[in-house]
Amino acid sequence: MKKAIGIFDSGVGGLTVYKAIRNTFPNEDLIYFGDTARVPYGPKSPNTIIDYSLQNARFLLQQGIKILIVACNTSSAVAIPALQNLSDIPVIGVIEPGAEQAAKTTKNKRIGVIGTEGTIHSGAYTVAINKLLPEAVIFSQPCPLFVPLVEEGWQEHYVANIIAEEYLVDMKKQNIDTLVLGCTHYPLLSKTIQKVMGEEVTLVDSAKAIAAYLSCYLDRENDGQKGKDTFYVSDNESKFSEIAQRILQDNISNLTRVHLYESWFKD
Ligand code: DGL
């Protein structure tokens, strides 16, 4: 039987990753899980994020997947080693692909990283970029309000511009040439962020980066069979569908709510 790629996120934002993977691999079956009951992960402690990530992964493993994609940057920043201990299938987070793309893109070796508080405080992008490019200087900035702005559909609203100006005021002084959008939601704000940072700064979209990276694990051969999409959430399907529609510019079907406390906590 054809096994699917499993993708999880803290909520709806990971659909940016789902979309990039769907576009790159049209024949693959994809199973997406959004932990909408417990979103946001960004302000939570590493231990809590690890616990939630393991539970999400167990749920997806029960569906019989062949690769686990951690779309959530905050989970990717702290939970990959724990997730890799859970099973033998490949577990891929967004940090390494994003770091690789940033290291390839920069010319002046001055790189900015923006993300949730959890992602930025973990230092995961800095470590990953410096592993590839030890001489690179990394500037990071948490931008927590970007997540609710996107979920409200305000990514091009003047309020988004004001908030971006405020968060990025120091970043603009650092003469960076590359900025990593280290959060699922930020690619949706890229127009606003680009305007604030200026055209000379290249934005790295970690969602697109992970889709390209996945090509090392899967071939893109087209067998003519359109891949199946299955979506699960832990709460509020209607809110998920509404935001999903805005992110994907398409309606999603095959969406089910799963209850958190059934089978996830068992090994
Ligand atoms: N998915 C999260 C991330 O990429 C953003 C939303 C949240 O804080 O849970 O870090």
Side-chain angles (χ1 to χ4, degrees), residues 214-226:
L214 244 189
S215 307
C216 311
Y217 293 84
L218 299 168
D219 58 45
R220 295 192 201 192
E221 245 171 63
N222 194 330
D223 62 8
Q225 292 245 321
K226 202 170 166 292

Side-chain angles (χ1 to χ4, degrees), residues 9-11 13-14 38-43 71-75 94 115-116 119 147 151 182-186:
D9 179 45
S10 55
R38 304 186 290 192
V39 69
Y41 285 10
C72 180
N73 285 248
T74 314
S75 292
V94 276
T116 66
T119 299
V147 168
E151 298 206 352
C183 173
T184 45
H185 292 62
Y186 299 2

Side-chain angles (χ1 to χ4, degrees), residues 79-262:
I80 295 292
L83 290 167
Q84 281 170 337
N85 280 336
L86 208 56
S87 92
D88 294 334
I89 64 165
V91 176
I92 307 169
V94 276
I95 307 285
E96 270 184 38
E100 209 171 86
Q101 189 61 41
K104 269 193 222 149
T105 306
T106 187
K107 301 240 160 24
N108 71 0
K109 302 192 170 82
R110 298 176 69 83
I111 299 171
V113 178
I114 52 176
T116 66
E117 290 151 289
T119 299
I120 297 306
H121 294 152
S122 76
Y125 272 109
T126 304
V127 170
I129 297 169
N130 279 144
K131 214 191 239 175
L132 301 165
L133 207 58
E135 63 280 29
V137 187
I138 320 294
F139 303 91
S140 3
Q141 172 67 48
C143 304
L145 291 174
F146 282 176
V147 168
L149 269 179
V150 167
E151 298 206 352
E152 202 59 37
W154 286 7
Q155 49 266 36
E156 281 162 47
H157 195 281
Y158 74 93
V159 167
N161 212 64
I162 294 170
I163 293 173
E165 287 281 1
E166 194 67 33
Y167 277 141
L168 300 173
V169 67
D170 288 333
M171 192 67 87
K172 280 166 72 172
K173 295 179 190 148
Q174 305 302 342
N175 187 31
I176 59 165
D177 69 354
T178 304
L179 178 65
V180 179
L181 306 180
C183 173
T184 45
H185 292 62
Y186 299 2
L188 298 160
L189 274 164
S190 50
K191 263 196 202 152
T192 300
I193 295 169
Q194 189 79 69
K195 198 160 84 194
V196 170
M197 291 306 297
E199 288 303 323
E200 57 294 350
V201 174
T202 304
L203 305 184
V204 170
D205 177 338
S206 53
K208 287 199 183 127
I210 194 170
Y213 193 87
L214 244 189
S215 307
C216 311
Y217 293 84
L218 299 168
D219 58 45
R220 295 192 201 192
E221 245 171 63
N222 194 330
D223 62 8
Q225 292 245 321
K226 202 170 166 292
K228 213 170 97 195
D229 295 304
T230 310
F231 299 93
Y232 294 101
V233 289
S234 49
D235 197 14
N236 208 341
E237 307 93 297
S238 54
K239 182 82 185 167
F240 181 88
S241 298
E242 181 197 316
I243 302 175
Q245 213 282 335
R246 279 207 302 271
I247 295 180
L248 302 173
Q249 305 285 307
D250 202 358
N251 287 320
I252 58 165
S253 52
N254 215 0
L255 170 64
T256 311
R257 179 185 168 192
V258 289
H259 290 272
L260 277 173
Y261 300 104
E262 279 168 14

